[in-house]
Amino acid sequence: MSLYIGREASKLWKRFCAEITAEIKLLAENWKYLLGGLLCQYIHGLAARGVHYFHRPGPVLQDVGFFLLHELGQDKAYISETVFTFIFLSFFLWTFHPFILKSKKIYTVLIWCRVLAFLVASQFLRIITFYSTQLPGPNYHCREGSKLATLPRPDSILEFLVINFPRGVLYGCGDLIFSSHMIFSLVFVRTYQKYGTRRLIKQFAWLCVVAQSFLIVASRKHYTVDVVVAWYTVNLVIFFVDKKLPELADRSGSATFLLPLTKDNIKTKDENHKLLNGNSRDLVGPEV
């Protein structure tokens, strides 16, 4: 029994080391894209903080979701955040599964390059929309009478550049159309829909996103329009951006590649498949 466990542990360690080697090579070639994507996340955070300075509390706008959905109340606002955290952490851990699981379809570095591209494009549109028109926030801390509804002018540029986490993220106002939580959730679920392998998990993931949509409105964190616009905008962004990006290498086949496929290496890929499968007459010689 101990011999079997030791043998499996040795295989797992070799698999982990091999994956580290492959990912480091990819990271060396794609670090600029990852760094640029992370920098854009910071810029998006600064933009959301900046619009908070312009936010002015006012009467909550009429909203069909507010009439149809029971208000959860301020003490139950954590429910929607819990669902979002579950979606975020589940996807984050899934992107690192190639390091430990034998069956794998993606490379971690390449999948995050793709995810960040979707996030950046969606967040760029989001920044334009919430700076175009500032709506009175429906969240409890954004309403009239709350001290957090407006931000005092910063004393220095450093105070503006430093994002207070998690307070600055959870208690923002003014960045409404469209929902940032829905951007992340839809990008994650759409990515798993394409590259994931478990059908049941895909169905459960979509169910979680739908539930989160209702919970966001029921918690009065966003208007219904913020969620609706996110649903069609993010899906359209992913559809068009995905067409412009090179397709990821499929690791589930017999021939694997460390880099995304391009027009230059499609022919090489086909030849390798024929060689490995032994179904090319040119490679095995003419029939007698």
Side-chain angles (χ1 to χ4, degrees):
M1 184 67 179
S2 60
L3 180 62
Y4 174 78
I5 295 176
R7 185 183 306 167
E8 291 300 316
S10 177
K11 291 181 180 179
L12 179 62
W13 175 249
K14 290 179 180 179
R15 190 183 309 139
F16 179 80
C17 293
E19 198 68 27
I20 285 288
T21 303
E23 294 289 351
I24 289 178
K25 181 179 179 181
L26 290 172
L27 182 61
E29 298 174 353
N30 298 277
W31 67 270
K32 294 181 181 179
Y33 302 109
L34 291 174
L35 182 61
L38 294 176
L39 179 61
C40 287
Q41 299 307 302
Y42 172 70
I43 294 174
H44 173 257
L46 284 184
R49 177 178 172 84
V51 78
H52 196 166
Y53 290 103
F54 299 105
H55 177 259
R56 295 295 179 268
V60 177
L61 303 179
Q62 291 187 359
D63 190 283
V64 64
F66 294 176
F67 286 108
L68 297 178
L69 296 176
H70 174 70
E71 185 173 356
L72 292 180
Q74 194 170 3
D75 58 330
K76 296 181 180 179
Y78 69 91
I79 298 178
S80 63
E81 291 297 330
T82 302
V83 175
F84 173 75
T85 303
F86 173 76
I87 296 174
F88 187 96
L89 292 179
S90 298
F91 179 81
F92 180 82
L93 294 175
W94 170 77
T95 60
F96 288 90
H97 81 272
F99 288 90
I100 56 175
L101 297 182
K102 185 177 182 180
S103 59
K104 56 196 71 176
K105 191 178 180 181
I106 63 169
Y107 288 101
T108 303
V109 169
L110 296 183
I111 201 70
W112 275 108
C113 286
R114 207 173 195 85
V115 166
L116 287 172
F118 297 149
L119 291 176
V120 169
S122 300
Q123 290 166 342
F124 176 75
L125 295 176
R126 180 174 188 260
I127 292 173
I128 293 177
T129 55
F130 67 62
Y131 266 103
S132 299
T133 303
Q134 287 84 49
L135 302 178
N139 211 333
Y140 303 102
H141 63 270
C142 298
R143 299 178 184 180
E144 291 180 307
S146 173
K147 296 180 180 180
L148 301 175
T150 57
L151 285 180
R153 291 184 176 274
D155 297 328
S156 63
I157 186 65
L158 182 62
E159 182 181 346
F160 173 75
L161 294 176
V162 175
I163 300 177
N164 186 5
F165 184 84
R167 183 183 179 89
V169 176
L170 297 177
Y171 294 98
C173 297
D175 56 329
L176 292 174
I177 302 177
F178 41 97
S179 171
S180 180
H181 283 58
M182 292 303 301
I183 291 178
F184 280 92
S185 298
L186 287 170
V187 167
F188 292 165
V189 173
R190 281 291 302 267
T191 302
Y192 186 80
Q193 177 69 32
K194 183 175 183 179
Y195 298 106
T197 57
R198 304 291 184 178
R199 183 180 178 182
L200 183 61
I201 296 180
K202 293 179 182 180
Q203 295 173 344
F204 179 70
W206 281 113
L207 181 63
C208 287
V209 176
V210 172
Q212 180 185 266
S213 302
F214 288 106
L215 288 171
I216 288 175
V217 178
S219 300
R220 305 303 188 253
K221 295 182 178 180
H222 278 278
Y223 294 108
T224 305
V225 65
D226 305 338
V227 176
V228 172
V229 171
W231 266 96
Y232 63 75
T233 302
V234 176
N235 280 292
L236 286 174
V237 166
I238 294 175
F239 176 78
F240 286 107
V241 174
D242 190 58
K243 287 182 174 294
K244 298 296 183 180
L245 297 176
E247 187 52 77
L248 294 184
D250 188 359
R251 305 183 66 180
S252 59
S254 57
T256 59
F257 294 85
L258 291 180
L259 297 177
L261 298 179
T262 61
K263 294 181 180 179
D264 297 331
N265 61 18
I266 288 179
K267 184 177 180 181
T268 304
K269 174 180 178 294
D270 294 336
E271 291 176 351
N272 286 341
H273 271 295
K274 292 178 181 180
L275 180 62
L276 291 172
N277 296 332
N279 57 357
S280 173
R281 296 183 178 180
D282 296 334
L283 293 174
V284 300
E287 293 182 356
V288 180

